[in-house]
Amino acid sequence: MIPSSVRIFVCTEPQDMRRGFDALALTVRQVIGEDPRGGAVFVFASRRSDRVKVLWWDRNGYCLMYKRLHRALFRVPAADEPSQRSVVVDTKSFAELLRGVERAPRRAGRNRS
């Protein structure tokens, strides 16, 4: 469980999930405008919203959690303004984001290509 005092930033721009610790930390600095070692948690979603990476600093190194959903999607909060590159959420909203939501069922006759 994450303490309620920890700030949780969700990046509103989709990220390439091939990015690792250092590239995501650079995104925190350049896109979100925060210090990746400042004690906050940073959430990044893929373009299809079926994968997320969560980055945080833990005393002497970065930690990275990677989650992929199979029959659901992550509901990433929308920015209030187009120029807003991240949204701060509370621990309850973070838990809901990680839980995901079910995908709409595929319509019959739709091509799978």
Side-chain angles (χ1 to χ4, degrees):
M1 183 69 175
I2 297 174
S4 60
S5 61
V6 172
R7 294 183 313 157
I8 303 166
F9 293 87
V10 179
C11 185
T12 57
E13 297 179 3
Q15 297 295 311
D16 184 343
M17 290 293 108
R18 295 175 291 185
R19 302 182 90 198
F21 297 96
D22 296 325
L24 290 173
L26 186 62
T27 301
V28 169
R29 286 192 190 282
Q30 294 180 341
V31 175
I32 298 175
E34 293 289 326
D35 178 4
R37 295 181 181 186
V41 171
F42 302 94
V43 182
F44 304 93
S46 66
R47 187 168 307 283
R48 296 187 325 192
S49 295
D50 63 342
R51 300 160 196 252
V52 294
K53 283 190 175 182
V54 181
L55 179 75
W56 69 97
W57 180 260
D58 183 29
R59 286 188 244 158
N60 61 358
Y62 287 115
C63 297
L64 187 63
M65 181 186 84
Y66 187 22
K67 184 171 182 179
R68 178 182 69 190
L69 297 176
H70 292 278
R71 294 189 181 110
L73 296 172
F74 295 105
R75 182 175 290 153
V76 178
D80 294 333
E81 301 173 13
S83 62
Q84 191 177 1
R85 300 175 121 183
S86 68
V87 175
V88 177
V89 298
D90 60 14
T91 54
K92 181 181 175 189
S93 298
F94 178 58
E96 289 172 4
L97 185 151
L98 289 180
R99 205 174 3 253
V101 294
E102 286 193 44
R103 291 182 192 208
R106 291 184 182 255
R107 289 186 272 185
R110 187 173 170 189
N111 247 349
R112 291 187 163 213
S113 47

